[in-house]
């Protein structure tokens, strides 16, 4: 079943359209930066953006910071919202179930295919943005290693080896996947509740937007640590020297709790649900 | 093959299926008739474990449903309320996806099985167009092909000829008859009397969620106590049978009489030539109309008294 889900994922043109759009955003930003050479003032604009002007090898990190807050979660919510509800409204869900495909298996296969999608999309963004960075801004890695941007490390002159950069990027990818699996769990749960793929995606986005608003609201400080988007940007801590693990660990923990609770709810709901449309 | 006891399904305040005791025997060609909204699809969904009953028991191929439905589903071919397919994939790829999704769809002979299933439903020469470019009839045939991918012991088909033209309906009927001869039990639902009449050996009639009739077709079509009679000299027959002729259409008379043989003897003795004579039987339509109260999806205005 997992193979079938993956085949369906990679046979659908929309998978590539979404990945293409995700890659296009950093590309557009890079072109503007490269032609004007106007860096965003420190503390404003995306993280790493001012640093990439002197070192294109950091552009993948900047690209992550660009796609993560909105674009990537929107794509994940759309795909995950479609996962069950889309099959239900296309009429294919009932034919899968009478094949028979176990309902739990179907849910797990859907989740795994979403993880694979996130990995695929992130890899595409990393590769294209690395190439973009190198060609537009040049690389200054040479043998001295990569200088971490001072606005992130709050220390200037720290350098890490290219291998270190790769490791940190891998950590970033893993962390972002975990964050997006949290998004997927929300949308997947809603997808088992409603038969409208759009409704499920909208519901998940409503949760995320609300969470984003509350994160910046001082009055909501009491619940802030438990909001799903609170630690989304914690992966930037991978680029500090030394790596600051506190928020990363908390963020991963929160997402794990969301994942377990929502998947449990999705599973319980789907297993007892009438497939009657 | 299928047995239900007091099977009931409520959706909120509507009772879609109400205390149904269904019995489908091995080798049957069972036709489930009923007006729109009488609960046929809901019943079929419960048999397949898609919808969970509010009350009652189901046994399919000797296993309790939904508890052990996964053991029997591999030997069931099903079509539930229209076909379902991934619109951007070709028909062949769709079948491959469904085949690979379930157990027992061995990869080695998949191509052969898909080809055979497509051939059987008359889509043997299908090209690589995506399903969204298919006509309604082609989709319906593809749905049937999906039900035949693995040789089924039992076919559960909800309105299998929906959207097909007369020739297509005939082809499907012949296909089902052929499968039935090979030992496949066929359970199908329809709101088309003619279809059930032409194919089924056993009939169930649903009305507002209840199974109001369940019997062999031959037993349902009891004689009406009238005889249809053909004669080249209708005037003489009318004169002879005086008052017993209920209806006359050209040379065909309908006569109130229990025994065609005795009637024939009487006419011949009186010198009336008889070209055709047969006991009139209740049509399936009459059986159904007598048993049902009307289309339950008609929403009548309740007059305030
Ligand atoms: N998911 C649902 N939620 C609420 N009510 C439903 C649902 N599905 C069916 N019903 C109701 O149950 C009743 C039976 O519907 P069902 O689809 O089983 O009828 P049917 O005999 O298949 O009709 P048709 O011949 O039109 O296909 C109808 O009154 C319908 O409104
Ligand atoms: Mg129906």
């Amino acid at each position: 079943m997992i193979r079938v889900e993956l085949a369906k994922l990679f046979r659908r043109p929309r998978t590539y359209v979404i990945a293409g759009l995700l890659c296009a955003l950093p590309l557009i930003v890079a072109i503007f930066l490269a032609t004007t050479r106007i860096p965003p003032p420190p503390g404003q604009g995306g993280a790493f953006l001012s640093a990439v002007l002197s070192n294109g090898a950091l552009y993948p990190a900047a690209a992550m910071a660009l796609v993560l807050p909105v674009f990537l979660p929107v794509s994940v919510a759309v795909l995950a919202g479609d996962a069950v509800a889309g099959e239900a409204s296309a009429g294919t869900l009932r034919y899968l179930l009478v094949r028979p495909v176990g309902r739990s298996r179907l849910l797990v296969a859907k989740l795994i295919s979403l993880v694979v999608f996130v990995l695929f999309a992130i890899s595409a963004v990393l590769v294209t943005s690395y190439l973009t960075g190198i060609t537009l801004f040049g690389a200054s890695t040479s043998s001295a290693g990569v200088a971490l941007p001072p606005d992130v490390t709050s220390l200037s002159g720290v350098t890490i080896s290219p291998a270190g950069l790769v490791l940190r990027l891998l950590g970033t990818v893993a962390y972002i996947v975990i964050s997006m699996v949290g998004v997927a769990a929300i949308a997947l749960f809603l997808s088992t509740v409603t038969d409208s793929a759009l409704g499920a995606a909208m519901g998940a986005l409503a949760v995320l937007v609300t969470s984003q608003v509350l994160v910046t609201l001082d009055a909501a400080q009491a619940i802030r640590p438990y909001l799903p988007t609170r630690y989304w940007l914690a992966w930037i801590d991978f680029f500090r020297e030394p790596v600051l693990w506190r928020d990363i660990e908390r963020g991963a923990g929160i997402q794990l709790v969301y994942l377990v609770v929502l998947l449990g709810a999705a599973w319980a709901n789907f297993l007892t649900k009438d497939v009657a449309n | 093959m299928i047995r239900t006891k007091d099977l009931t399904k409520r959706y909120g305040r509507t009772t879609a299926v109400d205390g149904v005791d269904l019995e489908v025997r091995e080798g049957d060609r069972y036709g489930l008739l009923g007006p729109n909204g009488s609960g046929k699809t809901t019943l079929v969904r419960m048999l397949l474990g898609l919808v969970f009953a509010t009350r009652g028991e189901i046994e399919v191929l000797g296993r309790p449903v939904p508890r052990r439905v996964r053991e029997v589903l591999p030997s069931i071919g099903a079509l539930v309320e229209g076909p379902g397919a991934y619109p951007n994939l070709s028909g062949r790829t769709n079948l491959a996806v469904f085949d690979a999704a379930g157990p027992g769809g061995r990869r080695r002979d998949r191509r052969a099985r898909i080809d055979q299933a497509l051939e059987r439903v008359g889509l043997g020469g299908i090209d690589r167009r995506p399903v969204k470019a298919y006509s309604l009839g082609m989709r319906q045939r593809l749905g049937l092909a999906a039900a035949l991918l693995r040789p089924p012991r039992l076919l559960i088909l909800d309105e299998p000829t929906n959207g097909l033209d007369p020739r297509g309906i005939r082809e499907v009927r012949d296909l089902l008859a052929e499968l039935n001869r090979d030992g496949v039990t066929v359970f199908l639902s329809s709101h088309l009397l003619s279809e059930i009449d032409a194919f089924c050996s056993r009939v169930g009639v649903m009305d507002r969620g209840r199974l109001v009739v369940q019997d062999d077709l031959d037993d349902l079509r009891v004689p009406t106590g009238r005889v249809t009679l053909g004669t080249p000299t209708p005037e003489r027959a009318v004169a002879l049978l005086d008052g017993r002729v209920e209806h006359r259409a050209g040379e065909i008379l309908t006569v109130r009489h229990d025994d065609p043989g005795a009637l024939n003897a009487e006419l011949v003795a009186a010198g009336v030539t008889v070209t055709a004579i047969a006991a009139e039987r209740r049509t399936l339509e009459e059986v159904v109309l007598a048993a049902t109260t009307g289309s339950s999806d008609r929403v009548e205005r309740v007059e305030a008294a």
Side-chain angles (χ1 to χ4, degrees):
Chain A
M1 191 56 214
I2 288 160
R3 251 212 319 260
V4 172
E5 279 306 318
L6 291 181
K8 285 196 294 201
L9 175 69
F10 287 110
R11 270 174 193 279
R12 296 199 73 159
R14 69 169 185 196
T15 306
Y16 304 99
V17 172
I18 294 176
L21 289 174
L22 283 168
C23 294
L25 175 67
L27 184 64
I28 293 170
V29 172
I31 291 172
F32 274 106
L33 278 180
T35 46
T36 60
R37 296 254 153 205
I38 305 173
Q44 283 178 37
F48 300 101
L49 274 187
S50 38
V52 296
L53 283 181
S54 52
N55 183 3
L58 276 174
Y59 199 60
M64 286 294 110
L66 286 173
V67 298
L68 185 72
V70 183
F71 223 156
L72 194 56
V74 168
S75 337
V76 172
V78 166
L79 287 188
D82 187 56
V84 177
E87 300 256 7
S89 51
T92 45
L93 180 59
R94 54 179 186 262
Y95 289 106
L96 286 177
L97 294 182
V98 301
R99 231 357 60 194
V101 179
R103 296 188 183 205
S104 321
R105 268 171 70 111
L106 185 65
L107 217 50
V108 169
K110 291 287 182 192
L111 189 72
I112 290 176
S113 101
L114 285 166
V115 171
V116 170
F117 167 77
V118 173
L119 279 173
F120 172 71
I122 294 179
S123 317
V125 171
L126 287 179
V127 170
T128 55
S129 61
Y130 180 75
L131 295 178
T132 314
I134 298 289
T135 41
L136 291 181
F137 308 111
S140 61
T141 44
S142 58
S143 55
V146 188
L148 285 177
D151 61 336
V152 172
T153 54
S154 62
L155 283 167
S156 54
V158 178
T159 57
I160 52 173
S161 63
L165 180 66
V166 168
L167 269 183
R168 284 164 202 243
L169 274 176
L170 282 180
T172 304
V173 169
Y175 186 79
I176 291 178
V177 168
I178 292 175
S179 306
M180 289 304 111
V181 166
V183 177
I186 299 175
L188 199 58
F189 166 64
L190 293 175
S191 191
T192 64
V193 173
T194 168
D195 282 343
S196 154
L198 201 60
M202 276 304 297
L205 289 177
V207 171
L208 296 182
V209 170
T210 310
S211 166
Q212 297 269 41
V213 169
L214 291 184
V215 164
T216 60
L217 186 73
D218 283 339
Q221 192 144 33
I223 60 161
R224 192 183 288 171
Y226 310 107
L227 293 170
T229 63
R230 165 64 181 87
Y231 294 107
W232 264 10
L233 290 177
W235 59 270
I236 291 175
D237 292 347
F238 276 116
F239 294 90
R240 292 182 208 279
E241 189 58 40
V243 171
L244 204 61
W245 288 103
R246 204 196 65 156
D247 282 4
I248 294 177
E249 282 164 5
R250 285 191 183 179
I254 292 270
Q255 297 301 336
L256 218 64
V257 171
Y258 273 102
L259 181 69
V260 168
V261 170
L262 285 166
L263 270 192
W267 180 76
N269 184 42
F270 190 48
L271 239 60
T272 55
K273 182 186 154 97
D274 284 342
V275 177
N277 67 313
Chain B
M1 290 300 248
I2 306 177
R3 193 192 297 272
T4 73
K5 233 177 86 190
D6 192 28
L7 188 59
T8 302
K9 176 66 188 180
R10 280 197 205 92
Y11 288 111
R13 285 177 56 210
T14 25
T15 305
V17 171
D18 189 3
V20 165
D21 299 317
L22 187 74
E23 199 197 342
V24 180
R25 299 164 307 202
E26 177 134 30
D28 269 353
R29 304 168 169 199
Y30 192 108
L32 188 67
L33 266 171
N36 289 134
S38 54
K40 306 181 293 294
T41 302
T42 307
L43 178 58
V44 163
R45 284 179 190 274
M46 284 194 283
L47 298 180
L48 295 169
L50 293 173
V51 159
F52 300 108
T54 311
R55 177 155 49 85
E57 288 159 33
I58 310 174
E59 195 187 288
V60 177
L61 294 174
R63 299 285 194 289
V65 171
R67 202 147 30 90
R68 294 169 70 183
V69 73
R70 290 185 58 188
E71 294 170 30
V72 293
L73 282 174
S75 18
I76 298 177
L79 193 63
V80 189
E81 193 152 73
Y86 299 99
N88 58 325
L89 303 180
S90 73
R92 218 174 271 277
T93 316
N94 259 291
L95 293 186
V97 165
F98 286 123
D99 194 57
R106 266 169 297 119
R107 204 180 181 144
R108 205 151 21 88
D109 54 353
R110 182 169 300 151
R111 266 194 82 99
R113 276 180 297 126
I114 290 175
D115 284 338
Q116 196 195 359
L118 286 171
E119 195 68 51
R120 284 198 116 156
V121 298
L123 291 177
I126 196 135
D127 50 24
R128 303 181 48 155
R129 271 187 301 164
V131 169
K132 62 184 169 205
Y134 282 20
S135 71
L136 185 58
M138 285 168 81
R139 283 174 210 221
Q140 190 74 20
R141 285 168 192 258
L142 185 65
L144 273 173
L148 300 176
L149 266 181
R150 275 168 293 173
R153 278 176 66 200
L154 170 65
L155 278 172
I156 296 183
L157 308 172
D158 188 26
E159 316 226 354
T161 54
N162 198 9
L164 293 179
D165 56 21
R167 178 178 296 273
I169 292 178
R170 183 59 192 267
E171 283 173 19
V172 168
R173 192 191 302 154
D174 292 345
L175 169 65
L176 293 182
E178 186 192 321
L179 288 165
N180 182 252
R181 268 196 301 279
D182 296 344
V184 179
T185 305
V186 181
F187 173 83
L188 58 84
S189 86
S190 176
H191 52 251
L192 294 179
L193 283 160
S194 55
E195 195 176 304
I196 303 274
D197 213 355
F199 177 73
C200 293
S201 57
R202 198 166 151 79
V203 181
V205 180
M206 293 207 55
D207 180 44
R208 298 177 187 236
R210 312 191 62 91
L211 189 67
V212 289
V213 174
Q214 174 168 257
D215 217 334
D216 286 347
L217 189 56
D218 293 335
D219 294 342
L220 286 174
R221 302 183 54 184
V222 289
T224 55
R226 282 188 292 262
V227 174
T228 33
L229 170 74
T231 168
T233 53
E235 287 78 16
R236 287 190 55 195
V238 170
L240 181 76
L241 295 171
D242 171 49
R244 282 183 286 169
V245 176
E246 292 203 336
H247 182 74
R248 180 181 158 189
E251 296 186 348
I252 308 288
L253 302 179
T254 306
V255 182
R256 211 169 343 101
H257 202 293
D258 285 332
D259 185 356
L263 179 63
N264 189 32
E266 186 182 337
L267 288 165
V268 171
V272 177
T273 313
V274 176
T275 54
I277 189 160
E280 188 188 74
R281 289 180 168 270
R282 282 223 295 175
T283 61
L284 187 56
E285 183 173 2
E286 284 163 340
V287 173
V288 170
L289 288 181
T292 59
T293 46
S295 208
S296 53
D297 65 349
R298 277 181 61 156
V299 184
E300 311 273 4
R301 187 191 304 275
V302 180
E303 295 293 339

